[in-house]
Amino acid sequence: HQGRDRGGPLGPSSAWWGRQTWSHLTYLSNFYCKTPQKLSMYSWYGSVRLYHFRVPEDSVLVCWHLTVTRGSGSSCGNHNISIYIRSGAPPVINPIDTAFPNETAFLLAYNLTASISSGQNTTIFNVSNPEPGDWFIAAHLPKDNGKIEQKGFSSMCSYFFQPQMFVRRVIDMPILESKAPLLQTVSSPEKPAFLKFFVPDYSTHLIFHVWGCSTEGVEGADCPLIITVGSTSLQPFSVRTVNCTGMTSCAVRLLTPPWETWIRITVESIYVNLTTTFSVSANLTVGCKPKSVGLIGDFLAKLNTNSNCVSGANNSAVVGNTTMSGNTSLMLEPFGNECLRTYSVFKEELDVVSVQFSVIGGPNLIVLTQAPTLIPLDLTSFADTGGTLNLHLKLNQVCCHSASVISYSVPLYASFFNLNVSPTAFSQGYSLNLNVTSPKAALRLPFPEAAMWYLTLQVLCPDNASDCANVSSTVMTSVYLSACIDECGTYGECRLLRSYSYLYASCVCKAGWSGWGCTDGSTAQTYARQLVAALLLTLSNLSFIPPIIVALHRCYFAEASVYLFTMFFSTFYHACDQPGVTVMCIMDYDTLQYCDFLGSLTSIWVTILCMSRFKDIYKYTLFMLGALIIAMSMQLDRRGMWNMLGPILFALLVMVLAWVYRGVKRRQCYPTTWKRWVFFLIPGIAIAIIGLCVYVFTETDENYFYTHSIWHIMVASSVVFLLPPREYQKEPWGCSRKFCGYQICKNEKEELYTVT
């Protein structure tokens, strides 16, 4: 059981959860459940099972039941299941301690561990005063050991994870208004007091006052209360707690409270089962507001000037009495006054998890010393939380109207934050500094929270602020949401993932690279190792040349064609399948993979049927029928065990029946000579079994390049031993004097059990 009664983001305990009636407020319960999903060993974010929940407004308690179910079997061991919980966006995790890309700001999600030693384990996790809105839960098994499991040949134990959410919410929570006191009562633990207060835009200062406390049976006017302001998001400083014990009145002050949102106020008493009456009020200060843009005209003009979606890049628009071209460098003045300047922003959705923010009048912005410049960025949709928010700033010039007073090394200060984790109320934002020596800055935020984000820019004077009165800077801004950081670089691939209807993206790394953006090269493969791996996996397919020569020499032209097909596509499939930079793809990867699997299985099929020594008409009929069935099965599931074993076992059964038929009819073992068994069949079968064991049981991510090369060589070598000798009536290489005459007709009349 996770949680504590007071003093932190978790709790209260399950005893509080069990109460049916806490106070005069009306409480209702909601229940939510997700379908169990099979957990995977962690190798990248795609190994994580992600669940999305929606916590209703005015929820005062959330209880998660996190159930892990283990399958039965000898391979099932005791594992620790890693579980992550985050509000507003998917959890940012780093279970294997890899490095994040430069200029990336992140805060790891709250995590807990669930141990499972029996069939099922349930962890209960309580969160009081939860942040309303989107919550995400992620879970995975420990780090992947790199073992390549062949489908159907491994006995991996299955672990299933199922989260359930139980919500207790208030439907008549009192609303506190500015400068309008409310009289409340509280009795812990059954009757805590809950209130909420709405904060409008551009609020700068919020104070909650508590006074006039009176506790039954206790003398004095002290306030035995604990006030908690804010909602729990499991991030540091998400709530503000003040203990009023020993004071006749107390206050909670918030600088820059979160805008356009409801703030929760929770009041609890330190006394148990004693009622305390108190008064509470709020005092809100709304600071400097931007200049009004008007109702219609100015908005439409600026939108047409800068919107590619509306007017295109070269259209013109009339602003006032001035005609401006859409590709002009002239900047529109922001709406502002002496204390705040703001720019309007155009949000353009380009693709899934891809958004471009264009500043109206930008991208070059004028930033002054007198007032900060505020740029709002709308990321309130939870569909925008599955990517990476990118910010790039470039200081183009610093202009000074009195150059003799100020130098050109004046720094530019930038702050990037959302007011749900505002830089002063509950948490810290992200700060950037630019000057002439460092004119560029960048910031990346993986999985940004769903909220209104704000970029503030202002020129600051390091010494005397009065010297900077006439200084302005031109700053180029670029803000956009991308699926992955820098498209995962050279050694990664950005993949779009889905959990139910929610879409998000992550990097899958290769060639030993790791990290959120595939930039951690601590375990990366060198170029020499990549080259050796590529050469081994491709050139090992040349071991099919001897089987091709033997087949041609013995007049098995169809078999030789299949071996040639397999050698060609296996070579170029592995050339395209390389994880690093030594890659060459002559056609689509999926096509190469399909042809490789098809050729490999067909080669085994025709070899075994060739060993059966059927008449040509029967043999080629089985060749064609088997090839069609194999093609179908490879399309259904290329890695399915029975899709591969089915044709092979059937071919072996046909071969054994043919050999038994010949042995019974001849009254002796078939093949008849001991030399054929000792020098050809037994070595060929042994080589094939060894190659199969290497393929199924020994391959890992680390040794794949040489173990799979051994598999190529062993399979090709076994074919040389297993191919039967040519028929006596056929000359070597098939060069008979009558290519399509009497001799071929005679061969068709020979017995199917030609003496070998």
Side-chain angles (χ1 to χ4, degrees), residues 216-390:
E216 60 178 0
V218 178
E219 296 182 356
D222 291 349
C223 290
L225 304 177
I226 297 176
I227 305 174
T228 302
V229 178
S231 300
T232 301
S233 64
L234 299 183
Q235 297 295 339
F237 312 107
S238 61
V239 295
R240 182 76 59 82
T241 302
V242 174
N243 192 336
C244 301
T245 305
M247 296 181 289
T248 58
S249 66
C250 64
V252 181
R253 292 176 172 84
L254 300 178
L255 295 177
T256 318
W259 296 347
E260 283 296 309
T261 188
W262 291 93
I263 290 184
R264 178 82 53 78
I265 306 102
T266 305
V267 182
E268 298 174 281
S269 174
I270 64 172
Y271 295 127
V272 178
N273 297 326
L274 294 181
T275 301
T276 300
T277 303
F278 64 94
S279 296
V280 59
S281 66
N283 190 359
L284 177 68
T285 301
V286 178
C288 185
K289 292 185 177 180
K291 180 182 176 182
S292 176
V293 301
L295 181 59
I296 298 178
D298 196 49
F299 168 75
L300 293 178
K302 292 192 174 185
L303 178 63
N304 287 334
T305 302
N306 293 274
S307 170
N308 290 331
C309 293
V310 177
S311 62
N314 296 317
N315 287 1
S316 299
V318 177
V319 182
N321 296 323
T322 305
T323 301
M324 299 175 57
S325 175
N327 59 358
T328 180
S329 61
L330 178 62
M331 295 178 299
L332 299 174
E333 279 296 317
F335 306 113
N337 48 35
E338 67 280 357
C339 62
L340 181 65
R341 295 159 56 87
T342 63
Y343 283 89
S344 298
V345 176
F346 185 81
K347 179 181 178 181
E348 182 179 2
E349 297 184 4
L350 305 175
D351 204 341
V352 179
V353 200
S354 180
V355 176
Q356 178 71 45
F357 293 96
S358 303
V359 179
I360 305 297
N364 293 320
L365 308 179
I366 296 177
V367 183
L368 306 177
T369 58
Q370 298 92 333
T373 299
L374 181 68
I375 302 174
L377 304 169
D378 186 357
L379 284 173
T380 53
S381 172
F382 92 106
D384 297 333
T385 61
T388 300
L389 185 59
N390 302 271

Side-chain angles (χ1 to χ4, degrees), residues 666-716:
R666 294 182 177 187
R667 302 180 185 276
Q668 60 178 333
C669 182
Y670 185 87
T672 56
T673 62
W674 64 270
K675 293 182 180 180
R676 181 68 186 165
W677 283 96
V678 173
F679 296 111
F680 294 95
L681 293 180
I682 294 178
I685 295 172
I687 293 173
I689 292 176
I690 294 174
L692 182 64
C693 292
V694 170
Y695 175 76
V696 174
F697 301 111
T698 65
E699 286 188 357
T700 66
D701 292 334
E702 292 296 323
N703 65 19
Y704 175 79
F705 70 98
Y706 63 83
T707 54
H708 200 76
S709 300
I710 293 174
W711 157 253
H712 289 164
I713 296 172
M714 301 294 274
V715 170

Side-chain angles (χ1 to χ4, degrees), residues 368-554:
L368 306 177
T369 58
Q370 298 92 333
T373 299
L374 181 68
I375 302 174
L377 304 169
D378 186 357
L379 284 173
T380 53
S381 172
F382 92 106
D384 297 333
T385 61
T388 300
L389 185 59
N390 302 271
L391 168 66
H392 295 273
L393 299 176
K394 181 181 179 182
L395 181 62
N396 289 334
Q397 60 181 350
V398 178
C399 303
C400 182
H401 299 287
S402 55
S404 60
V405 179
I406 192 72
S407 67
Y408 280 82
S409 61
V410 176
L412 174 73
Y413 174 78
S415 179
F416 193 47
F417 57 91
N418 79 69
L419 283 170
N420 286 332
V421 285
S422 68
T424 53
F426 295 121
S427 182
Q428 295 298 315
Y430 309 97
S431 300
L432 301 170
N433 289 284
L434 295 83
N435 52 47
V436 291
T437 57
S438 301
K440 295 182 180 181
L443 185 67
R444 300 182 178 96
L445 298 176
F447 294 159
E449 295 182 18
M452 282 296 298
W453 288 77
Y454 298 86
L455 171 64
T456 60
L457 303 169
Q458 188 174 12
V459 177
L460 300 181
C461 236
D463 299 320
N464 190 353
S466 62
D467 295 339
C468 299
N470 296 318
V471 175
S472 63
S473 300
T474 303
V475 182
M476 177 178 289
T477 61
S478 175
V479 185
Y480 59 94
L481 180 73
S482 61
C484 299
I485 297 179
D486 293 335
E487 296 300 324
C488 303
T490 305
Y491 294 97
E493 179 184 353
C494 185
R495 293 188 181 178
L496 188 64
L497 307 173
R498 183 177 66 88
S499 174
Y500 298 92
S501 61
Y502 178 72
L503 298 176
Y504 58 105
S506 180
C507 291
V508 54
C509 305
K510 52 189 179 181
W513 289 78
S514 58
W516 198 267
C518 299
T519 55
D520 187 345
S522 57
T523 59
Q525 300 177 7
T526 62
Y527 177 78
R529 187 189 183 283
Q530 296 178 40
L531 184 60
V532 169
L535 291 176
L536 277 176
L537 287 168
T538 54
L539 297 182
S540 61
N541 287 284
L542 297 179
S543 57
F544 275 93
I545 293 179
I548 294 174
I549 295 176
V550 171
L552 291 175
H553 182 266
R554 297 177 182 178

